[in-house]
Amino acid sequence: MIGILSFPFLLTLIFLRVPIGLSMFFTGLVGLIMVTGDTQVPFGRLKSETFTTFSSYSLTIIPMFLLMGHFATLGGMSQALFKAAEGFLGHRKGGVAMAAVGACAGFGAICGSSLATAATMGRVALPELRRYGYDGGFSTAALAAGGTLGILIPPSIVLVIYAILTEQNIAKLFLAAFIPGIIAALGYIIAIRVYVALNPESAGVGPRIPWGERMVAMAKIWPVLLVFAAVVGGIYAGWFTPTEGAAVGALGTGLIAWANGGLGMKSLGESFLVVGRSTAMIFFIILGAAFYNGFLALTQVPQGIAEWVGSSGFSPYTVLILILIFYLILGCFMDSLSMILLTIPIFWPVMQGLDFGFVTMAELHADRAMEALLAVPDLTRDSIDALLAAYREGAQLSLAQTVQFDTIQAHFGADIVPLDGALRALADGAEMTRDQTRALELRRVNQGALNRINTEMVAIWFGILVLIVVEVGLITPPVGMNLFIINAMEKTTKMTATYRAVLYFIASDLLRVVLLVAFPVITLVFITW
């Protein structure tokens, strides 16, 4: 009961404008005192929880990504991205706004922060939008929406924190975010096109840029491509970890900013101070969340909710949709990082207990069996497929295929009957018996392995969905953080005008959520088991 009552208490503190980190920390401390009945345990946790939270090596990725984004701004990369996109799109109706969204997507690939992306691109694009007669509300809404791409397109600070909270692979989460990120950018461009079609007076048209000038503008974005390729390519090539990749990215953008004349000793010191303040703010929120979530774990609230959902009879998709709706509502009042830190320790145990059936035992057997067969000397993927096709069609094996069967038998030292049954099951897409899996010496094919694979798939899919609905919260009235940042730069535009225009982008986001919920393969297509 104390754990449940802590929620309204926490929300009251937040609505009273107590900083979110302090609100969670204070609620957790008071809650622990009430649960334990003394102050010894709660105050003892001040030392242990602080060390446990900040001794995580993965957290060092946060200041590195922040520093990379700050150096990228000093290096003029945001202007180069916008000019390149404007060269190809500026002459179309709504093209300058589309170029701003495209530039936000490119800058998000080397920044990782939504607020930083929105603020940076706002300074670059707003003057151009004014120059071509774009409506103020439309301009601010487009830039606020484009800024949200900073936390979806890898690298993403919020995605890193989600990975730490759910103990998932950061590289796999980054990979899963690529296609949803591209869909997001395309969706915003479509939203702009729809808006200008319905409100033709809201946007002007820029001059058509000659192809020569377009190529020159494209050539100037090579630093962005270089940094992105070095960081993301290096991570997936296995050259370094995501944390090391963030350090490489920060060094690379710093050198480029120095070469472009944007980084000197004075600006370097200022960069460290800015990033230090931002990191301190994020880390204090993380500490407050760790303290509060430790209190919740002691009260058994997350476990109780998970057990109740498991016994309620609700379908997994029903539970998922209810959680996403909750995020959409909460996003109207709270920033993205706070939502992730506050809710994931509660909702993730619930999602872990749901079976979405992404991978079946037959599919697991097929994947492991193919790995085993490809390890047999003189067998190729084509020859294995031909052998399985003969089994599937019930045809007599050719002389060459009989030799292949004998080669497989000799390699595994298997008996003919279980090996023949294993190949038939593989050809038919059926689940194998224990004797058949032993015949191919398959490993990691038990129920525990299947559960771990499905749990990882659910974690990655759920993480991307949560990131998107959190992203919607950044542009949802009344407390859309990106809306306030951009509107503060365009003081002549009323906030109500921005609210009206941003509804088109929110509609695009909601359609994207529906698409990714209905077709999880869009998110998971690049993820290997």
Side-chain angles (χ1 to χ4, degrees):
M1 183 59 68
I2 292 172
I4 292 171
L5 291 176
S6 70
F7 288 110
F9 180 74
L10 173 62
L11 292 175
T12 300
L13 290 178
I14 293 171
F15 289 137
L16 291 174
R17 305 189 68 79
V18 177
I20 181 68
L22 184 59
S23 297
M24 288 191 286
F25 179 82
F26 182 70
T27 303
L29 181 65
V30 172
L32 282 172
I33 293 173
M34 294 178 68
V35 169
T36 58
D38 61 35
T39 58
Q40 186 174 353
V41 172
F43 285 107
R45 285 179 64 91
L46 284 174
K47 175 178 67 176
S48 60
E49 195 71 59
T50 303
F51 176 79
T52 303
T53 300
F54 297 125
S55 62
S56 172
Y57 173 67
S58 299
L59 283 177
T60 58
I61 201 171
I62 293 174
M64 290 297 100
F65 278 148
L66 289 173
L67 194 61
M68 184 166 72
H70 195 74
F71 284 162
T73 303
L74 293 176
M77 296 184 193
S78 54
Q79 293 94 327
L81 284 165
F82 178 70
K83 287 298 181 183
E86 188 182 22
F88 286 89
L89 297 170
H91 61 281
R92 302 179 183 276
K93 193 71 171 176
V96 180
M98 294 178 189
V101 168
C104 285
F107 193 75
I110 54 172
C111 180
S113 167
S114 174
L115 301 182
T117 300
T120 300
M121 295 312 304
R123 286 192 291 270
V124 172
L126 273 175
E128 289 292 297
L129 290 165
R130 288 193 209 102
R131 188 155 69 95
Y132 292 115
Y134 277 68
D135 177 71
F138 176 42
S139 300
T140 51
L143 287 169
T148 63
L149 298 173
I151 66 169
L152 182 57
I153 294 178
S156 166
I157 292 172
V158 175
L159 208 54
V160 168
I161 292 173
Y162 174 85
I164 294 170
L165 290 174
T166 57
E167 299 180 345
Q168 297 303 312
N169 185 293
I170 294 174
K172 285 188 176 183
L173 278 162
F174 281 179
L175 192 61
F178 270 112
I179 294 181
I182 293 170
I183 293 173
L186 293 175
Y188 288 157
I189 290 173
I190 292 171
I192 290 170
R193 189 71 189 86
V194 171
Y195 187 92
V196 297
L198 297 176
N199 305 276
E201 75 289 345
S202 64
V205 178
R208 183 181 290 273
I209 306 297
W211 275 98
E213 293 182 24
R214 294 183 190 184
M215 293 300 103
V216 171
M218 283 293 292
K220 291 181 179 179
I221 68 169
W222 69 265
V224 178
L225 300 177
L226 180 64
V227 171
F228 182 76
V231 174
V232 177
I235 290 171
Y236 294 112
W239 298 340
F240 36 70
T241 66
T243 305
E244 293 164 349
V248 169
L251 176 63
T253 51
L255 291 174
I256 293 168
W258 173 75
N260 290 343
L263 184 64
M265 290 304 298
K266 182 180 179 181
S267 56
L268 179 65
E270 291 173 351
S271 299
F272 289 153
L273 284 174
V274 170
V275 171
R277 291 191 189 100
S278 299
T279 302
M281 176 194 71
I282 293 172
F283 276 25
F284 187 70
I285 294 174
I286 292 173
L287 177 62
F291 216 80
Y292 180 65
N293 292 324
F295 152 69
L296 284 183
L298 188 64
T299 64
Q300 298 287 302
V301 168
Q303 297 88 330
I305 293 174
E307 291 173 5
W308 176 79
V309 170
S311 61
S312 65
F314 293 140
S315 72
Y317 278 94
T318 300
V319 176
L320 173 64
I321 291 168
L322 290 174
I323 290 175
L324 294 180
I325 291 172
F326 176 82
Y327 272 114
L328 288 172
I329 296 171
L330 193 63
C332 298
F333 309 100
M334 192 178 291
D335 68 275
S336 57
L337 180 61
S338 303
M339 277 195 286
I340 291 288
L341 288 166
L342 177 62
T343 59
I344 289 301
I346 298 170
F347 289 147
W348 174 231
V350 174
M351 293 298 296
Q352 275 184 302
L354 302 178
D355 181 17
F356 289 90
F358 287 139
V359 181
T360 64
M361 186 62 79
E363 291 169 334
L364 179 59
H365 284 169
D367 182 73
R368 299 290 185 259
M370 190 59 70
E371 287 179 4
L373 290 173
L374 287 172
V376 178
D378 301 325
L379 281 187
T380 65
R381 183 63 187 244
D382 289 341
S383 64
I384 295 170
D385 288 341
L387 179 62
L388 296 178
Y391 269 97
R392 193 178 303 113
E393 296 164 5
Q396 186 174 357
L397 299 183
S398 66
L399 179 60
Q401 290 170 342
T402 303
V403 172
Q404 290 171 355
F405 182 92
D406 293 340
T407 302
I408 295 170
Q409 183 187 11
H411 179 81
F412 293 109
D415 293 333
I416 293 177
V417 173
L419 178 60
D420 182 75
L423 293 176
R424 289 188 186 281
L426 182 59
D428 296 335
E431 186 176 330
M432 298 180 189
T433 65
R434 180 173 296 182
D435 288 341
Q436 291 168 354
T437 60
R438 287 175 177 171
L440 291 175
E441 297 181 358
L442 301 188
R443 300 289 184 269
R444 299 168 288 135
V445 292
N446 55 21
Q447 189 62 44
L450 182 66
N451 291 341
R452 284 191 294 274
I453 291 170
N454 274 311
T455 298
E456 181 185 50
M457 293 290 203
V458 170
I460 293 171
W461 179 53
F462 180 61
I464 300 304
L465 289 173
V466 167
L467 201 65
I468 291 171
V469 292
V470 162
E471 172 191 313
V472 178
L474 291 170
I475 57 173
T476 303
V479 190
M481 297 294 290
N482 280 14
L483 299 179
F484 284 105
I485 286 175
I486 299 297
N487 214 260
M489 299 180 183
E490 184 65 17
K491 298 184 184 299
T492 58
T493 299
K494 293 183 179 179
M495 184 62 79
T496 52
T498 304
Y499 284 167
R500 284 194 298 270
V502 84
L503 295 177
Y504 289 79
F505 299 95
I506 293 174
S508 172
D509 282 328
L510 295 179
L511 288 173
R512 179 159 39 104
V513 171
V514 171
L515 182 67
L516 296 181
V517 169
F519 302 101
V521 67
I522 296 173
T523 302
L524 302 174
V525 63
F526 294 134
I527 305 302
T528 58
W529 307 342

